Amino acid sequence: MKLTIEDIKPYLLFESIAGSRSHNLATETSDTDIKGVFYLPKDLFYGLEYTPQVSNETNDIVYYELGRFIELLCASNPNILELLNSPEHVVIYRHPLMSLIKPEWFLSKTCVQTFVHYAQGQIKKAQGLNKKIVNPVEKKLKTILDFCYVIEDGKTISINAWLENRDWKQEHIGLTKLTHAQDIYAIYYDDKMPYQGIIKKENANDVLLSSISKTAKLEGYLSFNKEGYSAYCKQYHEYWQWVEQRNDVRYQQNIDHGRSYDSKNMMHTFRLLYIALGIAQEGKVKVWCDNRDELLAIKAGQFSYDELLERSEILIKTIKSAFQLSLLPDEIEPSIAEVALINIRKELYKE
């Protein structure tokens, strides 16, 4: 049985506005994200079908099953720590039993790993987006022929140009593999022989081999850049999957400010780093951002990628130093949270 958001509504333990509206970073165009915690109906909890998470199609409404929520808190998951520490004015509903879960249980020096590593991953993601923006991939898919070259007079010439010069068709080519020569093939041509050609279909992933008679005339040697073709196919599919799934409004914003990186992503990277610094220095998760102007300036693309990269490196060093000096425990004590989880479930499922 696949649970829907409507199915779990009677079983909500916690519900809050999330995202930019809980971070003090909302603008006129901001969506309203909702996150929360639910418990399973008793028969499902004791049965075989466990549902750890329920969301809508766009993932801007997400609810976590109580056990999964505690599990992620124990792993110092940044998003879940933020949810637990939601500012009171954005909380929609809080079941009294949620008061048994104390935010301070889940703060330790391990947070430097989860928050900083996550932020560093987002920086790399922004850099990867930069490559997609400045290096668009043509919609027309290249074929193996675009990666094949003929060795002639000590030089290489593309197979397409080589065939065009002779007014030949690739369908009449016969190839045989050369021993001890990786991706190098002998070329034969005869429009009356049933050769396989180089490829049969445009999305082929390798060249074809033909049976060649001993009297056939050798026309040359072909080199197939197989690794280059594989890398291109991966890049092509990643790029057009990104185009299909990207937020066009957000993408246009990145094009408009001309910085060639995902500025909203970079803003949230710095937001996470400042939260990590607050954990180290104050021992709490500050979800509501006091530095709204600074973060929105990053979102608006007022800084170059290199500037932000340098700033992030300095901030990360500061965060690591702050955690070393922090009075936080080295690790959390999961058993405390487990006892709370058991007690909450006992209350929820008691006869």
Side-chain angles (χ1 to χ4, degrees):
M1 175 183 176
K2 184 177 180 180
L3 292 177
T4 66
I5 289 175
E6 288 304 312
D7 292 331
I8 65 161
K9 283 290 185 179
Y11 303 95
L12 285 182
L13 293 170
F14 183 76
E15 187 176 40
S16 176
I17 295 171
S20 60
R21 297 191 183 280
S22 68
H23 301 146
N24 189 29
L25 296 174
T27 60
E28 292 180 357
T29 58
S30 295
D31 296 327
T32 299
D33 297 335
I34 301 293
K35 289 187 178 181
V37 182
F38 71 97
Y39 67 99
L40 288 170
K42 187 174 182 178
D43 57 337
L44 292 183
F45 178 69
Y46 285 105
L48 293 175
E49 295 185 27
Y50 173 69
T51 303
Q53 182 176 318
V54 177
S55 62
N56 65 351
E57 291 183 357
T58 56
N59 263 352
D60 51 12
I61 302 177
V62 184
Y63 298 97
Y64 302 91
E65 194 278 326
L66 178 62
R68 179 60 174 159
F69 179 66
I70 296 294
E71 179 184 17
L72 291 171
L73 284 173
C74 289
S76 301
N77 181 285
N79 291 327
I80 305 303
L81 282 172
E82 285 187 28
L83 179 57
L84 179 63
N85 291 275
S86 298
E88 202 57 41
H89 67 275
V90 300
V91 173
I92 300 169
Y93 173 72
R94 188 193 303 271
H95 191 288
L97 286 172
M98 287 296 291
S99 64
L100 297 180
I101 303 172
K102 307 299 182 183
E104 61 269 21
W105 293 344
F106 307 101
L107 299 183
S108 70
K109 291 183 178 180
T110 57
C111 287
V112 71
Q113 302 296 327
T114 54
F115 276 83
V116 170
H117 284 183
Y118 184 79
Q120 288 173 325
Q122 293 302 300
I123 292 170
K124 289 182 181 179
K125 184 178 178 181
Q127 193 174 34
L129 178 66
N130 175 50
K131 292 178 182 178
K132 288 184 172 68
I133 292 174
V134 300
N135 297 298
V137 178
E138 289 186 9
K139 183 63 176 176
K140 180 175 173 54
L141 180 66
K142 293 181 181 180
T143 72
I144 279 177
L145 297 178
D146 296 297
F147 294 82
C148 287
Y149 299 85
V150 176
I151 303 168
E152 192 174 73
D153 298 328
K155 299 179 181 179
T156 58
I157 180 173
S158 74
I159 187 67
N160 289 322
W162 189 78
L163 290 169
E164 186 178 352
N165 290 340
R166 288 162 175 73
D167 196 24
W168 286 356
K169 295 182 179 180
Q170 70 90 11
E171 290 84 357
H172 299 148
I173 291 284
L175 297 179
T176 59
K177 194 167 180 58
L178 297 182
T179 306
H180 310 304
Q182 185 175 357
D183 300 322
I184 302 292
Y185 304 85
I187 304 173
Y188 299 86
Y189 188 88
D190 194 327
D191 57 7
K192 296 181 178 59
M193 293 295 292
Y195 290 152
Q196 294 290 328
I198 300 174
I199 57 172
K200 288 290 186 190
K201 50 187 179 180
E202 291 194 347
N203 63 346
N205 55 26
D206 207 346
V207 298
L208 296 170
L209 300 180
S210 297
S211 296
I212 308 295
S213 70
K214 292 182 178 180
T215 59
K217 179 185 175 184
L218 176 67
E219 300 289 353
Y221 296 98
L222 178 141
S223 171
F224 170 35
N225 182 4
K226 194 170 185 177
E227 288 187 4
Y229 178 65
S230 296
Y232 162 77
C233 289
K234 181 181 179 182
Q235 180 189 16
Y236 178 91
H237 291 298
E238 285 180 352
Y239 177 82
W240 285 104
Q241 183 180 46
W242 167 71
V243 169
E244 183 179 342
Q245 296 176 351
R246 75 187 178 196
N247 182 318
D248 285 332
V249 174
R250 184 166 167 181
Y251 172 71
Q252 191 58 50
Q253 179 188 48
N254 293 324
I255 295 298
D256 290 343
H257 64 56
R259 292 296 188 178
S260 298
Y261 63 81
D262 189 334
S263 56
K264 184 175 180 180
N265 185 73
M266 193 65 83
M267 175 190 71
H268 285 300
T269 297
F270 274 84
R271 181 183 62 79
L272 284 172
L273 291 175
Y274 283 123
I275 288 177
L277 186 60
I279 292 173
Q281 293 178 337
E282 302 177 44
K284 59 183 179 180
V285 179
K286 296 176 66 176
V287 178
W288 190 260
C289 301
D290 297 328
N291 57 339
R292 170 184 166 90
D293 291 342
E294 176 192 354
L295 293 173
L296 290 182
I298 295 174
K299 181 182 178 182
Q302 293 183 18
F303 308 95
S304 71
Y305 180 83
D306 289 338
E307 284 180 284
L308 293 177
L309 186 60
E310 184 179 355
R311 284 179 58 181
S312 69
E313 290 172 349
I314 294 171
L315 185 52
I316 287 171
K317 288 181 181 178
T318 303
I319 291 168
K320 289 182 176 180
S321 296
F323 269 99
Q324 288 178 348
L325 298 173
S326 172
L327 297 179
L328 289 170
D330 291 336
E331 297 179 349
I332 69 163
E333 181 48 68
S335 62
I336 299 175
E338 185 179 23
V339 169
L341 173 62
I342 292 170
N343 289 334
I344 292 172
R345 281 188 166 148
K346 282 181 178 179
E347 285 296 313
L348 293 172
Y349 295 130
K350 70 180 180 181
E351 297 296 340

